[in-house]
Amino acid sequence: MDWTPNDWIIVFFFVTGALLHGITGFGYPIVGTAVIAGFYPLKTAVAMVVLPCLVINIMMLRTGEGFKHNLITYGRAFFPLFASSFIGGLIGIGLLLFLPEGSLKIFLCITLLFYVFTQYSRFRIRFKTDRKTMAVFGFVAGIVGGATNAIVAFLMIYLLGTDRNKTEMVMVNNISILITKLIQIVLLFPVISAFDRKSWLLLSSVIVVSLGFMYVGNHIRHRLPQRIFNHAIAAMLLALGLYAGYQGVAMSG
């Protein structure tokens, strides 16, 4: 495979995203999509992230009590959120396939910046823990995730606003992302099946390397201050959000 500088940039950010995902339980699909969207159409970028992200999420859900236990336990507790995110994900992928790419990149920019803003706002938004509120946030998060791969942006707003603990946040985020990825595999299959040999080799390399760094991140999750990595994630998402916005404005202009 003839590697280009762009390929190395993509691998570097996937590795960074995998490390952060292992430490915090999220970040991999957002970082990967935002970076690849700088070199490919957003539809292709979302499709390229699907398989690596699916593998990462399954491995994350195997931690703790195990995949089956986590899926059943948190599936029952957050069923309205997951069910509504499934419906929202179908709508989001429809937007991905039919809306202009410039508009979607601006939407991605707004989503990422809004997430960063909520993390540094002095006023923490508080939400009820009832099933109706859970369903509403799941639906909106599904639309965002289907269209941009940034489902965690809205989920974290809800989870932080209901004072969920760290384990709940990690599991809910990964199950929600897993649902979105399964929908995307089905609906974006024509895009995925059209990848050339170089793209498949790149994705295979990304998956193998990302799994290694995810395990590293998972190992050091309890060794280093979470706050430092939260700041690192916010800084990266801020930069990638501004870049996506710049591209969106340039395409729309």
Side-chain angles (χ1 to χ4, degrees):
M1 175 177 170
D2 187 18
W3 289 79
T4 67
N6 290 347
D7 295 326
W8 287 109
I9 292 173
I10 289 172
V11 172
F12 171 77
F13 277 98
F14 262 115
V15 166
T16 304
L19 182 64
L20 294 174
H21 200 104
I23 295 167
T24 65
F26 66 94
Y28 191 76
I30 305 177
V31 172
T33 302
V35 172
I36 295 179
F39 308 106
Y40 295 91
L42 186 60
K43 180 169 63 177
T44 303
V46 171
M48 289 186 71
V49 173
V50 168
L51 294 179
C53 190
L54 186 65
V55 174
I56 288 291
N57 284 126
I58 290 174
M59 300 308 295
M60 284 293 296
L61 289 171
R62 292 183 62 192
T63 60
E65 299 293 330
F67 182 84
K68 183 178 179 180
H69 177 273
N70 291 331
L71 208 59
I72 294 175
T73 300
Y74 294 99
R76 289 174 177 171
F78 293 88
F79 179 76
L81 186 147
F82 297 138
S84 60
S85 70
F86 176 82
I87 298 172
L90 293 174
I91 297 174
I93 294 176
L95 296 176
L96 172 67
L97 294 173
F98 295 108
L99 286 182
E101 184 172 342
S103 300
L104 288 174
K105 288 195 173 181
I106 291 175
F107 180 53
L108 176 59
C109 167
I110 294 173
T111 301
L112 295 178
L113 295 184
F114 184 56
Y115 172 77
V116 173
F117 171 77
T118 61
Q119 298 310 294
Y120 289 94
S121 173
R122 291 184 177 181
F123 304 98
R124 285 290 182 187
I125 306 174
R126 300 297 176 187
F127 300 105
K128 297 179 180 179
T129 56
D130 62 286
R131 299 171 74 86
K132 182 178 179 180
T133 304
M134 193 183 293
V136 169
F137 266 87
F139 181 71
V140 176
I143 294 176
V144 173
T148 68
N149 269 350
I151 187 172
V152 172
F154 272 87
L155 282 182
M156 286 303 295
I157 295 170
Y158 170 75
L159 294 172
L160 289 170
T162 52
D163 294 322
R164 302 291 182 176
N165 61 50
K166 186 176 181 181
T167 300
E168 287 177 319
M169 291 183 185
V170 170
M171 294 303 164
V172 171
N173 283 334
N174 279 276
I175 292 175
S176 298
I177 295 171
L178 183 63
I179 292 172
T180 303
K181 297 307 114 188
L182 293 174
I183 298 172
Q184 288 177 338
I185 284 179
V186 175
L187 297 185
L188 294 177
F189 183 76
V191 180
I192 297 173
S193 61
F195 288 164
D196 57 18
R197 182 172 178 272
K198 178 181 177 181
S199 296
W200 283 113
L201 288 173
L202 177 61
L203 287 178
S204 299
S205 302
V206 162
I207 290 173
V208 173
V209 176
S210 294
L211 281 174
F213 278 86
M214 184 208 71
Y215 278 115
V216 172
N218 194 41
H219 181 70
I220 65 177
R221 180 186 298 174
H222 302 293
R223 295 174 176 265
L224 295 176
Q226 184 68 50
R227 189 175 181 181
I228 295 176
F229 290 96
N230 287 344
H231 289 318
I233 291 172
M236 181 175 292
L237 294 182
L238 176 63
L240 294 174
L242 292 174
Y243 182 57
Y246 167 78
Q247 288 186 315
V249 171
M251 289 179 176
S252 302

